[in-house]
Amino acid sequence: MTVHPRSLLASAAALILALFLTLPAVAAGTGLIFVSTEKGNEIVVLDKDYTIVKRIPTSRRPRDMHFNAAHTLLYVACGDDDSIDVIDVATLEVVDSIPTGPSPEVFAFTGDESAIYVSDEEDSRVERIDLTSRISTQDIPTGAEPEGILVTPDGKTVYATSEVADMVHVIDPASGAVTKNIVVGTRPRRLILTPDGSELWVSCELSSEIDIIDTKTLEIKDSLTFVPPGFREEDVTPVGMAITRDGSKILLSLGRANHIAIIDAHTHDVLKYVLVGKRAWSIDLSKDEKIAIVANGLSDDITIVDMASMSAVKSLPIGRVPHSVVIDD
Amino acid sequence: MTRCLAAIGLLLAFAVQAGATFAGGSVTIGYLGLSDDPRYQPDLVYTRIEINPPDDPTFGAKMGVDDLGIIGQAVGMSFTLDFEKAADITGLVDAVRRMVAAGEHFVIVDLPASLLDQVAALTRDQPVTLINATAPDDYLRTRCYPNLLHSAASDRMLADAMVQYLRTQNWTRVLVLYGEEKRDKEIADAFTAAAQRLRLDIADTRQFTLATDPANREQNNAKLITGGADYDLVFLADSFGEFGRYLPYATQLPRPVVGTAGLVASAWHWSADHDSATQVTLRFGRFTNGLRMTGHDWSTWMAAKAIVTSYVKANSEDFKKVDAFMRSNRLRVDGSKGVSMNFRPWDGQLRMPIMLSTSNAVIDVAPLEGFLHQTNVLDTLGTDEPEFKCQ
């Protein structure tokens, strides 16, 4: 066996990196950026300088990703292998795989991280999987193609969208039953909750609107559309959202309109439309909220957005069909 | 056990819901088909080789109602389908009248064009909206029946989609071949009209025959009928399909074949994998014990979805209100092609993207990038308002 000097160098670098990563108890975060690629079957890892440092092979069709609270593990829903893979953030290896129902798409942890709620896209149900026993402890029928999942911080409510049935299901996690169905716009995708818990924002991809649900009355209190100059309403297919910690700004990806909108969360005014890549979907904000990163599914790249100037800084090629981005900081 | 409890919980939740929001009832949607419709027989060729399995578009409508049943429950409405078949025009018109008498105001019609034409004419005084789900024939769109909408793609939409693709590829010189069936000429005419709009060159238009008669070999031999002209591709209009099976790779010049063989334009192809198309195809497969969703299935599915969505979003059971909603631009139906769809006011045609596919892949989806329109790019497919005339 011959060892190529470059690979030796790479191994040494990886070793140093690994040592560095394991040292400061990870609470500070590694600064690494993780991008799931639906057709690449891998998580692409970039460092703070946006250099690709690793491609982690996963089960097929990795999509939604979440860290545990300690940021030691990264969970990845892999739709074509019916599993949630678990990546060790220190070693950047897949260390575990949790079986799910057919085609897991989006998931959320319960507050104590004892379980996850996951939408099984091909099975019209949301299931609660106990993370210790790996057993599905709740099996909640939903409309077809469930997607967005949100567990409220108090753990008392779970919200799920059904893309086909145009509704948000309100689920009582204690009983595992749907307590209310809220009819929203066409093809609801993702959910975010304002920090005070009063508003649930729902992105409705095919009616080009954001429905804002009052979480007290569980009724739609406002419906917003965002159309960048030069586009038509039907070109706007909103999906991904992110919100600043103080709840002042919401970032919304506009899908086929190839832009994100940065919105004043209180006045609902658009502060800026930022041109990103093709079919912009998921967005993540860095902890210091200086940058946002957008996954562009149809141009195989991600776009870094500077939040101070609200402009795109650069786009980077990633791999086949980037789905989600998370930043470990 | 957990699953069972959850299901009971869900039912209870719906029961509570129903009382709270809408004191609705049950809605029955009609579905009218032809007994022993020849279009859905297994596609058997010589010595009974099956080249296509039998099709049954009723499954599309059933899946549409099933997909949206839960949203109906959320507003306190339930939806069922009433399937009727008849063998002739008298039976078909009687069936529609029976449906209307039973309170059914929307009927998904799954009939060949000539019968649908008569049914629409003979029921135009009835409080009913018919949705043509499976007849692509352009002449039905220009009849302007007030009681008729179309969720089936029209010949002209399919032709425009193909022509946009050829224009994008810069394959501009076309040899048009058509067969002896009446439909073949209609498909070829729709293509020629679309080609003229985007200024493709029709190198020649030739009629083929199915035979091996040596005296007629200029018309029945693949090499000879594709010889003596220069062209970039062959457009084939062969609704029967037998000639078309043998045309690709048998042309005089090494040129692709498109139309009813080779690259085919349709409302749906099972291999589509964008915009949740895979989920739809897989759900359909489970629903039908393994059938692959076709354009007909997609169109009956969309008809059912348009009806249920209109009832729910109009939040009414009043026929006039629901009908007005369905025909308005407030209707936004998701057909898993990445855009919302509704009906054109001038010809009642459902706007939709069109897939261009081979036997196992979607090569592109029209409207293609760069084909623009002053109001809606979907209106680059099909007869547009300024050029539309009732006949």
Side-chain angles (χ1 to χ4, degrees), chain A residues 122 165 178 181 187 232-233, chain B residues 13-14 276 286 332 334 373:
Chain A
E122 274 165 26
V178 173
N181 291 303
R187 205 168 185 84
R232 290 178 184 153
E233 204 176 299
Chain B
F14 285 137
S276 287
R286 283 198 294 273
R332 284 167 168 237
D334 171 15
H373 188 273

Side-chain angles (χ1 to χ4, degrees), chain A residues 190-226:
Chain A
R190 306 286 171 84
L191 302 161
I192 53 169
L193 196 65
T194 52
D196 63 5
S198 66
E199 292 180 354
L200 180 73
W201 288 45
V202 188
S203 55
C204 300
E205 187 180 13
L206 290 192
S207 51
S208 315
E209 66 192 349
I210 303 299
D211 285 337
I212 301 176
I213 293 170
D214 182 326
T215 53
K216 284 204 179 65
T217 61
L218 294 179
E219 277 172 11
I220 295 174
K221 69 172 194 184
D222 211 345
S223 201
L224 315 172
T225 50
F226 300 100

Side-chain angles (χ1 to χ4, degrees), chain B residues 90-247:
Chain B
T90 317
L92 291 166
V93 171
D94 284 349
V96 174
R97 289 184 196 280
R98 271 201 305 280
M99 287 172 174
V100 174
E104 299 166 26
H105 294 294
F106 294 92
V107 179
I108 300 167
V109 184
D110 174 15
L111 293 174
S114 58
L115 284 169
L116 170 54
D117 191 16
Q118 299 171 66
V119 170
L122 293 169
T123 58
R124 62 188 302 161
D125 57 330
Q126 299 282 313
V128 65
T129 289
L130 310 173
I131 301 187
N132 162 30
T134 57
D137 312 55
D138 282 316
Y139 73 87
L140 290 173
R141 277 79 182 162
T142 52
R143 289 280 201 259
C144 299
Y145 293 119
N147 57 340
L148 185 61
L149 298 173
H150 311 268
S151 67
S154 69
D155 283 334
R156 182 57 194 267
M157 292 166 81
L158 301 172
D160 281 324
M162 183 63 76
V163 167
Q164 285 188 3
Y165 182 74
L166 301 179
R167 185 34 89 186
T168 304
Q169 294 288 96
N170 206 18
W171 298 347
T172 56
R173 297 172 305 159
V174 191
L175 174 65
V176 176
L177 301 184
Y178 67 99
E180 293 167 292
E181 305 283 327
K182 181 166 157 273
R183 280 291 296 145
D184 298 350
K185 183 72 170 44
E186 289 169 0
I187 294 167
D189 287 347
F191 176 81
T192 304
Q196 281 165 353
R197 180 158 74 175
L198 288 187
R199 298 193 185 134
L200 302 186
D201 292 326
I202 305 294
D204 202 359
T205 300
R206 299 174 180 175
Q207 189 177 35
F208 66 81
T209 57
L210 262 180
T212 52
D213 174 8
N216 201 20
R217 61 184 188 173
E218 297 287 336
Q219 277 191 287
N220 62 35
N221 177 292
K223 273 200 187 54
L224 293 174
I225 201 171
T226 57
D230 196 9
Y231 48 89
D232 295 327
L233 76 150
V234 177
F235 179 86
L236 176 71
D238 175 19
S239 56
F240 186 53
E242 182 64 4
F243 186 81
R245 288 174 69 208
Y246 295 98
L247 189 65

Side-chain angles (χ1 to χ4, degrees), chain A residues 89-127:
Chain A
V89 176
T91 62
L92 301 181
E93 304 278 353
V94 174
V95 292
D96 201 353
S97 189
I98 302 160
T100 68
S103 202
E105 180 158 9
V106 174
F107 64 98
F109 287 102
T110 56
D112 59 2
E113 286 185 13
S114 65
I116 50 174
Y117 281 90
V118 57
S119 53
D120 293 337
E121 189 182 18
E122 274 165 26
D123 209 22
S124 307
R125 65 183 179 150
V126 166
E127 59 179 340

Side-chain angles (χ1 to χ4, degrees), chain A residues 39 61 63 103 121-125 136-145 162-167 169 175-181 183-187 205-208 232-235 237 256 278-279 281 298, chain B residues 2-3 5-7 9-10 12-14 16-17 21 67-68 70-75 273-276 278-280 282-283 286 301 305 309 312-313 332-340 369 372-377:
Chain A
K39 282 194 178 172
R61 205 174 177 198
R63 294 190 274 187
S103 202
E121 189 182 18
E122 274 165 26
D123 209 22
S124 307
R125 65 183 179 150
S136 175
T137 54
Q138 283 174 1
D139 197 352
I140 305 146
T142 62
E145 295 176 30
S162 160
E163 294 174 356
V164 172
D166 293 353
M167 56 170 62
H169 303 291
S175 63
V178 173
T179 54
K180 187 170 167 86
N181 291 303
V183 177
V184 294
T186 310
R187 205 168 185 84
E205 187 180 13
L206 290 192
S207 51
S208 315
R232 290 178 184 153
E233 204 176 299
E234 60 265 24
D235 298 327
T237 54
R256 289 152 54 95
K278 270 185 102 172
R279 203 198 66 186
W281 274 4
L298 292 187
Chain B
T2 325
R3 187 177 298 203
L5 279 176
L10 190 74
L12 284 174
F14 285 137
V16 173
Q17 257 316 101
T21 48
D67 276 353
L68 298 187
I70 194 163
I71 191 176
Q73 287 168 329
V75 295
D273 59 2
H274 279 189
D275 308 307
S276 287
T278 315
Q279 276 67 50
V280 175
L282 287 173
R283 255 198 334 277
R286 283 198 294 273
W301 178 62
K305 282 179 62 137
T309 303
V312 169
K313 301 234 163 155
R332 284 167 168 237
V333 191
D334 171 15
S336 290
K337 295 191 199 175
V339 297
S340 71
E369 205 166 329
L372 302 178
H373 188 273
Q374 61 273 26
T375 52
N376 186 332
V377 289

Side-chain angles (χ1 to χ4, degrees), chain B residues 348-366:
Chain B
Q349 171 67 51
L350 184 72
R351 298 180 163 104
M352 68 178 87
I354 297 291
M355 296 180 180
L356 297 157
S357 51
T358 63
S359 63
N360 62 7
V362 176
I363 302 300
D364 220 327
V365 179

